[in-house]
Amino acid sequence: MSAQASDRTASPLIFATGQTGRATRYVEHGKPLQSFMPASTLRDDLPLPDNTELDVVRHYTRLSQRTFGIDLGFYPLGSCTMKYNPRINDALANLREFAELHPFVPDELAQGALQVMHELERSFCSLFGMAAFSLNPAAGAQAELAALLIAKKYFKDRGETKRDKVIVPDTAHGTNPASATMAGFTVVSVKSDARGRVDPAEIRAVLGADAAVCMMTNPNTLGLFEERIHEIADAVHEAGGLMYYDGANANALMGNTRPGDMGFDLMHLNTHKTFTIPHGGGGAGHGPLGVAPHLVEYLPTPYVVRDADRYRLDFDRPKSIGPVRSFWSNFAHAVRALAYLYANGAEGLANVSQYAVLNANYLRVKIAEFLETPYPEVCRHEFVASAQSLKKKTGVRALDIAKALLDRGFMAPTVYFPLIVPECLMIEPTETESKETLDEFVAALREIVAAAQSDPQELFDAPVTTVVGRVDETRAARQPDLRWRPPLPPET
């Protein structure tokens, strides 16, 4: 970790620096704002800091060095696919012809952009076995919600309004039950078996005339492939329900197998995971939503269509659930994703997933030498370890291990998820890490487990080299305070 990152001296807020009149001004003041806008729409004051351009550059450069990112080191955050993002993707997204294109420009003047969206949509269909994709949703969770709204409208059109149940295995991502609840469905949780898979018999036991959708991730959040997915899909379809594929783990199977061939009717992708879009920090995301042929007409609008050699945005889709966000897509992400697709090609994309699986299994076997791995079999792109036994012997928890990794220059893996694994560490190395990096991570983890035996207090105090040490994580999650407010005037 850099010296700047380990400096715990508080960096002053930009509001606390600078002085009145110091801001760099390269152009003279223009006409009063009231000559452009009604006075009622203008604020009386705007408490912006008055800094020189140099002060601003240094301030934000310092802040950027006080955090951790994929450009600084290994980031094995399970289920988040923190892979390297090739810079050429950004270069293409920043081309003037794309970056300066107004979303309301007429279709005939945006043929290149529409072609990008159309070719990306067609590529996703081919790669994942779906009939059509909407690029409209702004994130995976939003695509989940849109998919469930499609299911609701589909059943309403069929006169099956009593289908109000969504089945979610306990190895699903947390957004699945949340999205189902937001869409007005009742969530039915299904427990996985001793091997970490969904037993088709458990699914059949909860199926009935009220079953609407079964939401699954494959491989699941334990990193295990659901080998009986066809049996599950057949059972759900026989009961009249739909299958939904959570594409958060698509990096494990891209180019090797397809959700459409497994029997899924709806799915989403997180292009900010699988297709090297920068992510983290809350956005911006991109969650294309795919559907089987019988659900195409319900996709969000607009949908990009090709007429001969011309492209256009199609808003005239009477059964559509309508748009789910402003404008048409996070278009820059569509450019990045298509660049990644074309750069790799069909064979390269299949290799991406195979290398991701290889790296995960290499780590799993190495780490099993000193830390419990509850599912000792070939995994896919990620796997889970557990600190349960270590905690019983030493008191050191998964959280302590995660904090100690920060002191050794590694981002912590996902911890305490999935919930069915006590003291869980979910590790996803991705395909872009070298063997040397993986070995360094194993060595750091081995050192931490050894320290748990000899000096657990060291781990209870970690991290000690980061900008911030232990914090009240519950309060930070439930009562975040991320907004600067002007200091109150002194009481008179």
Side-chain angles (χ1 to χ4, degrees), residues 222-399:
L222 298 172
L224 302 173
F225 192 80
E226 297 283 357
E227 301 148 338
R228 303 177 71 183
I229 189 63
H230 282 293
E231 288 183 60
I232 295 170
D234 289 346
V236 171
H237 289 152
E238 287 168 9
L242 298 173
M243 289 289 292
Y244 179 82
Y245 179 82
D246 181 333
N249 290 347
N251 208 52
L253 51 74
M254 177 174 56
N256 293 277
T257 185
R258 309 192 306 174
D261 297 336
M262 298 178 201
F264 286 95
D265 305 286
L266 305 116
M267 69 168 291
H268 84 262
L269 291 167
N270 302 92
T271 54
H272 50 282
K273 294 182 182 180
T274 312
F275 297 96
T276 66
I277 311 300
H279 67 299
H286 193 222
L289 168 60
V291 294
H294 53 292
L295 299 171
V296 171
E297 57 191 341
Y298 295 94
L299 278 175
T301 54
Y303 180 73
V304 180
V305 296
R306 179 180 181 180
D307 296 327
D309 61 347
R310 308 299 292 172
Y311 302 89
R312 63 181 174 83
L313 292 169
D314 183 9
F315 293 86
D316 186 18
R317 304 173 76 83
K319 288 194 175 184
S320 166
I321 62 168
V324 295
R325 54 152 293 160
S326 58
F327 303 120
W328 332 133
S329 168
N330 271 335
F331 175 68
H333 286 355
V335 176
R336 291 183 175 98
L338 190 63
Y340 181 74
L341 277 163
Y342 284 168
N344 283 282
E347 183 179 352
L349 293 173
N351 287 340
V352 163
S353 290
Q354 290 165 12
Y355 291 142
V357 171
L358 180 64
N359 275 2
N361 279 282
Y362 181 77
L363 273 189
R364 180 184 59 79
V365 172
K366 288 285 187 181
I367 289 173
E369 295 172 1
F370 52 85
L371 198 61
E372 184 182 359
T373 52
Y375 301 94
E377 59 174 289
V378 174
C379 63
R380 301 301 157 184
H381 67 309
E382 63 187 1
F383 66 98
V384 293
S386 171
Q388 178 77 340
S389 299
L390 190 68
K391 178 185 173 184
K392 290 179 180 176
K393 293 177 186 173
T394 67
V396 170
R397 303 168 296 161
L399 180 67

Side-chain angles (χ1 to χ4, degrees), residues 422-434:
E423 296 298 327
C424 183
L425 296 125
M426 187 206 282
I427 301 169
E428 180 182 0
T430 82
E431 72 282 1
T432 54
E433 299 297 337
S434 67

